[in-house]
Amino acid sequence: LDPRPSPTSAQWIRKVEIKEIKTGRTSSVPVMCQHCAEPPCVDVCPTGASFKRADGIVLVDRHTCIGCRYCVMACPYQARSFVHEPLTDQKTDVPRGKGCVESCTLCVHRIDRDRIPACVEACAATGHKAIIFGNLNDPASEIAQRIAQFRTAALRPDLRLDPGVRYQGL
């Protein structure tokens, strides 16, 4: 999953080229926090700032984060970034802070208001449904039905982290 993002730039979602070694086939995929069932970032956090909610969303509490970056190193998806500079023009729903680690939150502030993540909404607004969101454990949800209908894959299944993000066509 290279190249690594710049150490000073926020990377909630990035485009990654994946190459299948056996066939040489390449795919371009969006990679963000995979919201693992067994998140290594949570396991290594000394303060509990990295945590998993009951609904499976993995977050960082910026008030508890001490900026040690153990979680950045533990994430095999390179999905976390560190805030190096002071930030201005903060959004009240999604505050960020210098000296903290951050990653894709699946727009949890929107989910908690029964809305979908911004990337899903933006993708749908362009007429595409390349990104969908829902409860994988609810057989009636669109995402569960899509997974039942089409073959999907997780990134790095060999790690046995059970990521909540699935990719079709890999």
Side-chain angles (χ1 to χ4, degrees), residues 6-169:
S6 163
T8 59
S9 65
Q11 296 280 323
W12 298 289
I13 186 169
R14 67 189 200 289
K15 182 178 167 183
V16 174
E17 297 293 325
I18 295 178
K19 183 176 183 178
E20 188 176 332
I21 295 171
K22 292 179 183 177
T23 65
R25 181 178 168 258
T26 61
S27 299
S28 178
V29 297
V31 177
M32 72 291 270
C33 176
Q34 299 291 293
H35 298 277
C36 304
E38 303 295 331
C41 56
V42 170
D43 291 342
V44 300
C45 182
T47 65
S50 288
F51 66 99
K52 185 173 78 166
R53 291 184 359 160
D55 60 6
I57 297 173
V58 178
L59 299 172
V60 177
D61 180 342
R62 74 178 187 97
H63 300 293
T64 310
C65 178
I66 59 172
C68 70
R69 294 173 248 181
Y70 289 162
C71 62
V72 172
M73 297 307 294
C75 178
Y77 304 104
Q78 301 169 11
R80 292 200 163 200
S81 55
F82 182 75
V83 181
H84 289 270
E85 304 296 327
L87 302 168
T88 58
D89 300 323
Q90 292 281 354
K91 296 182 179 175
T92 56
D93 283 341
V94 286
R96 301 171 62 209
K98 179 182 176 184
C100 295
V101 172
E102 57 188 19
S103 65
C104 170
T105 65
L106 293 175
C107 295
V108 72
H109 60 288
R110 294 169 62 105
I111 292 168
D112 289 346
R113 294 184 182 130
D114 294 324
R115 294 183 63 200
I116 58 175
C119 62
V120 178
E121 189 174 273
C123 186
T126 64
H128 303 287
K129 291 205 73 153
I131 303 173
I132 58 175
F133 174 81
N135 184 346
L136 289 170
N137 298 318
D138 176 4
S141 71
E142 180 184 6
I143 186 74
Q145 290 176 5
R146 171 98 53 108
I147 287 174
Q149 184 179 4
F150 300 102
R151 186 175 70 83
T152 63
L155 294 180
R156 297 291 316 267
D158 57 309
L159 298 175
R160 298 184 180 160
L161 301 174
D162 190 16
V165 177
R166 300 290 188 273
Y167 295 87
Q168 181 181 328

